[in-house]
Amino acid sequence: MATMTEEFSWTGKSVLVAGGAGFIGSHLVELLVAADARVTVLDTLASGRRDNLVSVSDSITLTQQDIRRVAWTQYLSTHPADVIFHLAANAYVPPSVACPSFDFETNCVATFRLLEALRTMQWPGRLVFASSAAVYGNAVRVPVAVGDEPGEAP
């Protein structure tokens, strides 16, 4: 594994971006394509948009799929990845209050199933997991600083 002082090349690396059609994911995808990675985006397109990927649409593979329904071991056996960026989640709070089971399935169970598949496969790649500032509640001030206390839950 490369350390902070070693060079790392994305050239030719197979990268899966779950949630890659969202705002942050699509910007990440653009950077990965510019770095010559082979990028696959997995997204439901429920909150992410195909339009977010228009500038790289000819350079990526976009699969519209719900991460709650992915059989990860089978998927990764047929679509190997050197690096997985896991950005797929529901970060919008109102639906999580209206239907907490949806958030639990999407944000927790699907992530656990991915991690469990990687463990059982003894996957040698790299996983990057990202969360949302929504876990901290409403911001007391903007921009939010690292040392800020969490606000009230929405």
Side-chain angles (χ1 to χ4, degrees), residues 10 14-33 37-44 53 60-63 65 67 72 75-76 81 83-88 114 127-128:
W10 289 102
S14 177
V15 181
L16 172 64
V17 183
F23 178 77
I24 294 171
S26 61
H27 285 72
L28 172 63
V29 168
E30 289 171 349
L31 291 171
L32 290 166
V33 168
R38 294 185 336 253
V39 181
T40 298
V41 172
L42 192 66
D43 203 297
T44 62
L53 298 167
I60 66 168
T61 300
L62 173 61
T63 302
Q65 189 168 2
I67 61 164
W72 286 110
Y75 181 87
L76 292 169
V83 180
I84 299 171
F85 286 91
H86 181 26
L87 309 177
L114 169 60
L127 173 71
V128 179

Side-chain angles (χ1 to χ4, degrees), residues 3 6 18 29 39 66 69 88 94 126 137 149:
T3 65
E6 294 177 29
V29 168
V39 181
D66 187 333
R69 307 288 178 250
R126 296 176 184 194
E149 291 293 320

Side-chain angles (χ1 to χ4, degrees), residues 5 17 47 55-56 77 100-102 105-106 116 124 127 135 140 146:
T5 57
V17 183
S47 59
S55 68
V56 293
S77 295
S101 62
F102 171 77
E105 287 288 326
T106 303
E116 183 64 7
L127 173 71
V135 300
V140 176
V146 171

